[in-house]
Amino acid sequence: MENKWDHFYKKSYEQRLSLIAEAANLSKAQLDLLGRSLNPRSGELIENNLTDYPLPEGIAVGLVVNGHEHLVPMVTEEPSVIAAASNGAKLLSAGAGIHCSVPDNLVSGQVIVKDADPHQVTKFVHDYQQQLIQIADQSHPSVLKYGGGAKGLDVRILSKQFLSVDLLVDTGEAMGANIINTMLEAVSNWLSEQLTVETTMAILTNFADKAIVEVSGKVAMAKLGTKSLSGPQVAQKIADASQIAQLDIRRATTHNKGIMNGVDAAVMAFGNDWRAVESAAHAFAARSGSYQGLSTWEIDEDQLVGRMSLPVPIGFVGGASKVLPLAGINKQIAQIDNSREEMQVVAALGLAQNLAALKALVTDGIQKGHMNLQLRSLALSNGTTMQELPVVVQKLQGMDHPSSQTVKEILKILRR
Ligand code: HMG
């Protein structure tokens, strides 16, 4: 029997909207809002397009990476993230700034082979390496024009039953998911023909250990002092926090979430796939077998030194970044011209974000700075109008534990 949602994607926009409105009982005002936010270009990016979902975008200032100052557009819904990014950037930029390098920028993928003789497959891949590279390149020849292409193959034995034939590809300035997946499918077909083996799948891996940014930054301990703690005391507490993130998965997860606050926001602003970066980062954090903090902070003489190796598998061209007009403007604002610069700015922002969060945690506690900036969102989410906002926030600032109820009470008095 035909269901009303069958072939939903084939219906016109108006038909889809009317079905949704009926099912969800949407009011005229809600329908108007959906219509106002609609960007027809988005329908070319995703399926069953309904509207555009706007998120706030702000700018982190003062991030100095390899001697160049960058403004970094950040897309985030979370108060205090952008303030913290600028705060961390300012602390790190007071010295030599942040230093970044990208030793390799390669994408890797795998063809899974089932029930084959591992020695036969390994020998074959070794002996026919050049031919396999050619087959991969010929399946997507345009990548050669930019100096990219397949770079090598290897075999890993996963179990008695499964092998992984790994392919490494230089996808140039593109993130390269489509390029490498096309190549892997060509390699998979050829392998199964030549060796009469079953291949289970051919797909890139998001374990982006060949797209690592090495990032480091220093801050003079003297710059870290607060009203109640000296600079060296704060530095020692940050170093302790970093050590705890190496010891304990519960702390490591939150430590890394703090880093990803910055990383995701910039990756989104540049129109890249943040799920790929998220999965790469967390898998990399667990590469030793136990999940650990991605960054470390240590005292070196009078400096606090932060270091991080972070996979940042993103592209400068292609994908959604081509269709989303803001992604181009954001790259211009950030003054980045290629994927390596883009990766470096993203990773540097992650380290700055981490420093600010740790400093807040080990000094005043996160709530002081965060809640101060969260008050506006608390007020707005409880019915405060833009006109009422300054007065409501001022009143909330004087309170110990402001809540939704507090906002409602303030509004009640204000509106009398
Ligand atoms: P502060 O020390 O009160 O700020 O920090 P300040 O007045 O001394 O200003 C220092 C700099 O911060 C400023 O320099 C700005 O760059 C920036 P200036 O421009 O004055 O020369 N700054 C701001 N930028 C934009 N808007 C603002 C603003 N205020 C300061 N309103 C601050 C206040 C919130 C920055 C600080 O407390 C902080 O960095 N806190 C960390 C907040 C944070 O990490 N928020 C994310 C949410 S919590 C989370 O998800 C992660 C976490 O769980 C991770 C973890 O556990 O590791 C914490």
Side-chain angles (χ1 to χ4, degrees), residues 61 78-88 90 251 254-259 261 353-354 356-361 364-366 368-370 373 376:
V61 298
E78 188 170 8
S80 89
V81 163
I82 296 174
S86 297
N87 190 19
K90 185 175 179 175
R251 180 55 211 149
T254 323
H255 180 98
N256 291 344
K257 190 274 183 183
I259 294 168
N261 273 341
Q353 194 80 54
N354 179 227
L358 294 185
K359 180 174 180 244
L361 281 177
D364 295 332
I366 200 69
K368 187 167 174 256
H370 180 64
L373 298 175
R376 289 194 298 254

Side-chain angles (χ1 to χ4, degrees), residues 330-341:
N330 287 341
K331 288 175 195 169
Q332 191 177 335
I333 293 172
Q335 294 191 17
I336 48 174
D337 294 321
N338 57 59
S339 57
R340 281 176 187 254
E341 275 180 9

Side-chain angles (χ1 to χ4, degrees), residues 101-107 168 208-213 340 343:
S101 64
V102 180
D104 295 306
N105 188 11
L106 298 171
V107 184
L168 268 182
D209 60 342
K210 293 285 185 275
I212 300 286
V213 183
R340 281 176 187 254
M343 291 162 75

Side-chain angles (χ1 to χ4, degrees), residues 139-151:
S139 71
H140 209 300
S142 65
V143 72
L144 299 172
K145 276 195 270 174
Y146 309 106
K151 296 295 164 202

